[in-house]
Amino acid sequence: MVIGKVIGTLWATRKDEKLNGMKLLVVRHLNLDYSYKDSYAVAVDSVGAGIGEVVLITTGSSARQSQLTQGKPVDAVISAIIDKIDLPSEADI
Amino acid sequence: MVIGKVIGTLWATRKDEKLNGMKLLVVRHLNLDYSYKDSYAVAVDSVGAGIGEVVLITTGSSARQSQLTQGKPVDAVISAIIDKIDLPSEADI
Amino acid sequence: MVIGKVIGTLWATRKDEKLNGMKLLVVRHLNLDYSYKDSYAVAVDSVGAGIGEVVLITTGSSARQSQLTQGKPVDAVISAIIDKIDLPSEADI
Amino acid sequence: MVIGKVIGTLWATRKDEKLNGMKLLVVRHLNLDYSYKDSYAVAVDSVGAGIGEVVLITTGSSARQSQLTQGKPVDAVISAIIDKIDLPSEADI
Amino acid sequence: MVIGKVIGTLWATRKDEKLNGMKLLVVRHLNLDYSYKDSYAVAVDSVGAGIGEVVLITTGSSARQSQLTQGKPVDAVISAIIDKIDLPSEADI
């Protein structure tokens, strides 16, 4: 999984009917110091994530393992809202 | 999922028979400001997308979850036509 | 899917028995103007492609959806031979 | 699979319920000389790995083949703790 | 599939029990002229490959289609030992 920040919402009227009712969020990938990477993903929200929140993104077929996305044409899902990333200093490792 | 713009059509007479009747579209990947990325994909159209439209692309095994692509050798499908990408300014996040 | 050009053949005597009888082709990835990318793939041929032909490559689990590759340790298959890529000029989009 | 070093832990209260009880570790990818790559992954621990340990990471749908992760929205799992990487000198190859 | 050269062995005592008895080989990816790429993979050996041999690597869920790796947390398998890569000169294409 990778870490991202929700920065927007995507609207689509004409779509695969299996996507009906799904919230499509735009997520910028983050480095471990929370700075933005250049890349982004569009992910389905399965945990009630909001704009500005730091989230965990699950991709590929594993993105279809949530109750919401099962059997759907979805390759990225927000599977958690991150409270804290605990990175001990290198010296302590 | 990622965002792309339909820029062309691909024609193939000799192909896996499971691809018969499928519209193969050439899609350039887009940045969030709608500028082109260098990369592209060939995706099956499942929503009636046309040249010039901005679309959502689902990849991998999830591309086989639409009614049209089930069980087919397809690893990218256009799953939605995008109306709007709503990106609040960073200050509002 | 991505576009490539068949540039060679790969020979292997000792291999997973499920690969027996399969033609393994070396395919260079192509840009949309048919120039070579740096990358390549080894793909199983399911459509009778020959050296020099421009082909469509399906990857991942979707590469196992052809009759030939089902249940085989194959992650890339040539699923079509491309006749034409139709790219209207940007002005027409 | 790829090699990484466990450098941290990720905490998330609001998450897909299927992730309950799973330890989410932050793993920096390693080169073969154990130097850090720029990239990282968040992986579920299935073998009791601790901070500072060098581990093997299995990704994609294969990450759901451990007893712990079956049917879960998990795309990366720590599948082994590495004791030693044996790289004979090029001259001996 | 991609081409690599076996350059080492990986040892792990504590691991997912489904990996028991599997030989984990370190494989450097190769260009088509047999020069090394920067990247590597750790792959399970299913064909008796040895150090220094040039091999075919199957990745993703397709890596679980060999008899040895079925249902195992394995995302890369050595599926063939390559005898020869036949690349006709561009002029002949």
Side-chain angles (χ1 to χ4, degrees), chain B residues 13-92:
Chain B
T13 314
R14 291 172 291 163
K15 59 190 164 194
D16 190 298
E17 55 181 20
K18 291 186 181 177
L19 293 180
N20 283 343
M22 289 200 185
K23 204 162 127 198
L24 294 165
L25 295 179
V26 181
V27 185
R28 275 283 287 280
H29 294 128
L30 292 182
N31 294 302
L32 289 173
D33 62 358
Y34 296 96
S35 61
Y36 284 134
K37 292 193 177 199
D38 274 342
S39 56
Y40 73 91
V42 177
V44 164
D45 178 27
S46 77
V47 293
I51 300 286
E53 283 189 299
V54 175
V55 297
L56 190 69
I57 309 166
T58 300
T59 60
S61 61
S62 300
R64 301 197 312 270
Q65 304 297 319
S66 78
Q67 208 163 353
L68 179 68
T69 56
Q70 212 168 4
K72 307 288 167 61
V74 166
D75 63 18
V77 73
I78 295 175
S79 51
I81 298 170
I82 295 174
D83 297 325
K84 200 175 65 154
I85 305 172
D86 209 8
L87 297 173
S89 71
E90 190 70 15
D92 296 340

